[in-house]
Amino acid sequence: MASSSGPSLNEELQCSICLEVFTDPVTTPCGHNFCRTCLIKCWTNTQTCFCPLCKEKYSKTPDLKINTTLREVVQHFKEKLNLGESEVFCDICDERKQKAVKTCLTCPSSYCETHLEPHLRVPRLKKHKLINAVENLEDYICQKHERPLELFCRDDQTCVCLSCTEGEHRTHNTVPIEEESREKKNQLVQTQIDVHQMIQDRMKKIQEIQHSVELRKRNTDKERSSSVEIFTDLIRSIERCQSEQLKMMEEQQKAAEKQAEDLIKEIHQEITELKRRNTELEQLSHTEDYLHLIQMSSSLYTRPHTKNWTEIRIDSDVNSLERALTELKKTLDETLNEKLSQTGLKFVQKFAVDVTLDPDTANPYLILSDDGKQVSDGDIEQDVPENPKRFDVGLCVLAKQGFSSGRFYYEVQVKGKTEWDLGVIRESINRKGEITLSPEDGFWTVILRNEDEYEACDSPPVSLSLTVKPEKVGVFVDYEEGLVSFYDVESRSHLYSFTAQTFTDKLYPYFSPWFDDDEGKNPLIITPVSPLMD
């Protein structure tokens, strides 16, 4: 048997590819060691050679030479394992004792090759029970009947002699000890396979955790980059809040990395225990000492109790980051209002465009004015032609004008209305069936419900606390900057902004008067833009 330091030394001398003790170890330029055959096989059919452990890439295939020093250490370790069992000497030799090759359980004695000869030649002696030489001979003899233990009782899970089967084990299920030994060895082999697979699964889990952390880091870096582009001309105002947000992001990342580090440490501990178990199984599977095999296997051929790692995950999602950014934007409302209420609104009005409603897109229940500037709920379905551009469920209508670049601005009168939707939409949205107002679905809108419940339909939605009810709403879009902003024109205040959006389709102004409670006398009205005076 190996010394107590054997398992840990065994781990140090294992190839990380095959998880066995090194055979012809070679060293890569980065300093890691592998079996020569394992490394060559790993590089087969690959255009770029790399270290399987640290993933360092090499511009050309390294010249692999045997690490002679490591090979000698491995050889010494293997010899040390083989010398773990005590030597047994011949009981018959008078002077210099020769090493025994067989032990006779019938005699009972151990014999060298010379003194074993009668047992191989004399008919009476040829019937004796011979086994590989053992030192603890008494363990192979029935203490009650002083006969060889040749059978195994499966009912009592113990070795017995022939006399035992005529007594208390007479009705028990007994089999030749060689047969039981073969079955135990088969079970050990299967357990070895299971343990090896468990090791591979945990190595794969480590890679999965490391990949999840790296994915989260990339996503965090991406969000960090986009968060600093919210509004160039307001960067000084949001610098303090941004710093706090980035600090929180870093803390979340560190927490995820710490969680991953703890999980990997725990998995490594399991792998170490599994490797130790695997070494014991390996030694036991090659032994010829059948009694030792049976006595030890009962505790080794069962699968080790380990944690189920299948459902363990490291969260690589950054939705929490998006929610945090939403909170950041809410925190910045006062600053945004202060900056945009004066210079902001006056600036965006310079990009005013003339928009008119498109009757081909209007829901059949809507009524449009002849000049295409007003829309209201008609309460009765109109007789309009079928059109793929028409909304059939959503009570809304689009402008005729679409925009795929640059900046544009328009204003809509909402005075006296208790419910409405305003904003812009992506041209390619599905206009049939129910619609969902969110940027993911191609809608950038602000809505009013129940007279005083204002909401920006962001992800997640953001409730707007307004002290003054807007009577005229301005909508501004900067296509290249990915910006959609809403203003209360009369109070010159900023209502909300969708920032850092990505536009690829043409954008169309979007209007919904909702269900009119005044029989069509309270429409949404597209009004001319009157530049603000200082």
Side-chain angles (χ1 to χ4, degrees):
M1 296 295 291
S3 67
S4 60
S5 63
S8 60
L9 180 59
N10 184 27
E11 181 179 350
E12 294 297 327
L13 298 179
Q14 280 186 348
C15 170
S16 61
I17 298 177
C18 66
L19 300 180
E20 302 292 345
V21 177
F22 288 119
T23 300
D24 292 335
V26 294
T27 305
T28 59
C30 56
H32 295 117
N33 299 298
F34 306 93
C35 296
R36 185 174 184 276
T37 303
C38 292
L39 193 56
I40 292 176
K41 185 177 180 181
C42 182
W43 288 348
T44 302
N45 299 326
T46 60
Q47 295 180 348
T48 304
C49 295
F50 60 92
C51 174
L53 197 58
C54 69
K55 308 303 181 185
E56 180 176 338
K57 295 182 180 180
Y58 312 119
S59 57
K60 62 179 181 178
T61 303
D63 183 17
L64 300 177
K65 295 182 179 180
I66 302 296
N67 187 331
T68 55
T69 302
L70 181 57
R71 183 173 61 181
E72 290 175 2
V73 173
V74 171
Q75 183 62 31
H76 176 73
F77 174 71
K78 291 181 177 178
E79 292 174 355
K80 184 178 178 182
L81 287 180
N82 293 333
L83 292 176
E85 298 180 358
S86 301
E87 291 187 345
V88 180
F89 296 95
C90 178
D91 293 327
I92 309 300
C93 292
D94 291 330
E95 297 179 357
R96 184 179 179 181
K97 294 286 187 179
Q98 299 295 317
K99 186 176 179 180
V101 294
K102 292 290 182 180
T103 295
C104 177
L105 297 180
T106 307
C107 290
S109 296
S110 297
Y111 303 99
C112 63
E113 289 187 359
T114 301
H115 292 112
L116 179 65
E117 189 272 336
H119 277 76
L120 303 178
R121 175 176 49 82
V122 179
R124 178 177 59 84
L125 296 178
K126 289 172 68 174
K127 297 180 180 179
H128 287 192
K129 184 70 173 180
L130 295 176
I131 64 172
N132 290 332
V134 294
E135 185 177 17
N136 52 332
L137 184 58
E138 63 277 5
D139 291 343
Y140 297 80
I141 303 298
C142 177
Q143 300 301 309
K144 183 177 181 180
H145 302 106
E146 297 185 352
R147 297 185 65 179
L149 296 171
E150 300 179 275
L151 301 169
F152 182 78
C153 176
R154 287 180 171 171
D155 292 346
D156 294 337
Q157 291 291 299
T158 186
C159 296
V160 297
C161 68
L162 286 173
S163 296
C164 292
T165 62
E166 298 172 357
E168 58 181 308
H169 295 275
R170 182 170 55 86
T171 60
H172 291 185
N173 178 19
T174 58
V175 296
I177 203 166
E178 292 83 2
E179 179 183 337
E180 183 66 18
S181 178
R182 285 193 299 271
E183 184 170 331
K184 295 292 188 187
K185 185 169 289 190
N186 289 337
Q187 292 175 343
L188 285 172
V189 171
Q190 183 57 49
T191 303
Q192 270 189 287
I193 295 174
D194 292 343
V195 170
H196 183 75
Q197 183 60 47
M198 292 171 71
I199 293 173
Q200 295 296 325
D201 291 343
R202 279 149 182 77
M203 296 292 287
K204 184 177 180 181
K205 176 56 70 174
I206 288 176
Q207 294 177 350
E208 178 186 327
I209 292 174
Q210 291 173 333
H211 175 73
S212 296
V213 173
E214 180 61 29
L215 178 61
R216 182 187 177 94
K217 189 176 186 302
R218 288 200 301 267
N219 289 340
T220 300
D221 290 342
K222 181 179 178 181
E223 290 298 328
R224 184 191 296 115
S225 176
S226 64
S227 69
V228 300
E229 299 176 359
I230 293 178
F231 228 174
T232 303
D233 59 341
L234 295 176
I235 191 63
R236 293 179 181 176
S237 299
I238 67 172
E239 195 168 12
R240 178 181 56 82
C241 294
Q242 175 189 321
S243 176
E244 294 176 357
Q245 183 61 33
L246 293 179
K247 180 179 178 181
M248 184 177 69
M249 289 159 53
E250 292 296 338
E251 290 175 351
Q252 291 176 346
Q253 178 63 26
K254 288 180 181 178
E257 291 177 347
K258 179 62 168 60
Q259 181 188 4
E261 179 182 343
D262 293 343
L263 290 176
I264 291 174
K265 181 178 179 181
E266 187 175 350
I267 294 177
H268 272 307
Q269 291 175 345
E270 283 198 7
I271 290 176
T272 299
E273 176 60 23
L274 291 172
K275 286 181 178 179
R276 183 191 66 76
R277 174 72 70 90
N278 204 38
T279 300
E280 294 177 353
L281 292 171
E282 176 67 22
Q283 294 172 0
L284 197 58
S285 65
H286 293 296
T287 185
E288 296 297 332
D289 185 344
Y290 57 80
L291 183 62
H292 181 67
L293 171 66
I294 293 174
Q295 291 173 339
M296 294 297 293
S297 63
S298 61
S299 63
L300 292 177
Y301 70 73
T302 57
R303 288 172 61 94
H305 294 291
T306 55
K307 179 180 288 188
N308 181 4
W309 293 94
T310 305
E311 300 301 326
I312 303 299
R313 295 285 187 275
I314 293 294
D315 181 24
S316 60
D317 187 22
V318 291
N319 285 335
S320 59
L321 189 57
E322 294 176 358
R323 291 192 294 270
L325 288 174
T326 299
E327 291 300 317
L328 174 62
K329 287 188 283 186
K330 289 176 64 179
T331 305
L332 293 173
D333 272 351
E334 291 185 5
T335 304
L336 289 170
N337 284 335
E338 179 182 352
K339 295 293 181 180
L340 294 176
S341 61
Q342 301 299 325
T343 59
L345 183 56
K346 186 175 181 180
F347 171 78
V348 299
Q349 284 185 330
K350 296 178 181 179
F351 303 97
V353 293
D354 183 21
V355 296
T356 54
L357 302 175
D358 183 0
D360 290 339
T361 65
N363 181 284
Y365 282 86
L366 294 181
I367 298 177
L368 275 57
S369 62
D370 293 339
D371 62 0
K373 298 295 185 178
Q374 301 184 27
V375 57
S376 60
D377 172 26
D379 198 38
I380 299 175
E381 185 174 8
Q382 311 296 310
D383 184 14
V384 294
E386 183 64 31
N387 192 309
K389 297 194 300 180
R390 190 182 305 283
F391 290 88
D392 61 351
V393 175
L395 198 65
C396 51
V397 61
L398 304 182
K400 292 181 179 180
Q401 296 76 18
F403 304 86
S404 56
S405 63
R407 302 166 178 172
F408 63 93
Y409 173 83
Y410 61 93
E411 294 179 351
V412 182
Q413 180 178 303
V414 296
K415 182 179 180 180
K417 293 194 64 61
T418 58
E419 294 181 313
W420 50 258
D421 300 353
L422 290 176
V424 293
I425 63 101
R426 187 172 58 218
E427 181 180 28
S428 60
I429 63 165
N430 181 18
R431 307 182 188 192
K432 307 302 179 183
E434 295 291 339
I435 59 176
T436 301
L437 301 180
S438 72
E440 289 77 11
D441 293 288
F443 292 80
W444 293 267
T445 58
V446 167
I447 66 174
L448 167 65
R449 297 289 184 269
N450 302 321
E451 295 190 17
D452 58 0
E453 296 176 7
Y454 294 91
E455 182 177 278
C457 298
D458 209 332
S459 298
V462 179
S463 178
L464 304 179
S465 298
L466 305 183
T467 56
V468 178
K469 295 186 62 174
E471 295 185 355
K472 185 183 294 185
V473 175
V475 182
F476 171 71
V477 176
D478 187 327
Y479 194 96
E480 282 71 25
E481 288 295 325
L483 173 69
V484 180
S485 295
F486 296 82
Y487 302 88
D488 180 346
V489 178
E490 302 300 327
S491 65
R492 302 188 179 188
S493 62
H494 171 257
L495 299 178
Y496 190 79
S497 285
F498 295 86
T499 61
Q501 305 297 306
T502 300
F503 301 135
T504 54
D505 285 11
K506 184 177 289 188
L507 298 180
Y508 284 86
Y510 167 90
F511 311 82
S512 174
W514 260 70
F515 301 100
D516 203 324
D517 54 4
D518 198 15
E519 298 182 356
K521 297 179 180 179
N522 202 9
L524 287 177
I525 305 173
I526 302 173
T527 60
V529 175
S530 300
L532 296 176
M533 302 300 292
D534 293 334

